[in-house]
Amino acid sequence: MIYHRIRSLREDKDLTQTDIANYLHISQRTYSRYENDERAIPIEILSALADYHHTSVDYLIGRTDNPNPYL
């Protein structure tokens, strides 16, 4: 799964899909499809998720194992 890290980060904070979907102003169903790799995540959503989780988009998509955001 390409986006397994967005699920892990959400679960580590004990948040529901609905919590994150509300933050992103999207439906829970849409967010679920992102987590389950049934739908590509738009860059705007990836960027918002990276900001929310204080990490980088590269970390979210698996291009780096360093969770620290770029400075």
Side-chain angles (χ1 to χ4, degrees), residues 38-60:
E38 296 172 4
R39 187 174 193 180
I41 303 176
I43 191 66
E44 297 84 12
I45 298 292
L46 276 173
S47 182
L49 286 169
D51 290 346
Y52 184 82
H53 291 296
H54 307 289
T55 191
S56 68
V57 170
D58 282 348
Y59 179 75
L60 294 180

Side-chain angles (χ1 to χ4, degrees), residues 12-38:
D12 287 349
K13 294 178 180 172
D14 294 323
L15 297 169
T16 65
Q17 288 183 345
T18 301
D19 294 329
I20 300 295
N22 288 339
Y23 169 77
L24 297 170
H25 305 290
I26 60 174
S27 71
Q28 178 275 328
R29 183 176 177 101
T30 297
Y31 183 78
S32 176
R33 288 179 175 162
Y34 294 155
E35 272 195 9
N36 292 311
D37 201 18
E38 296 172 4

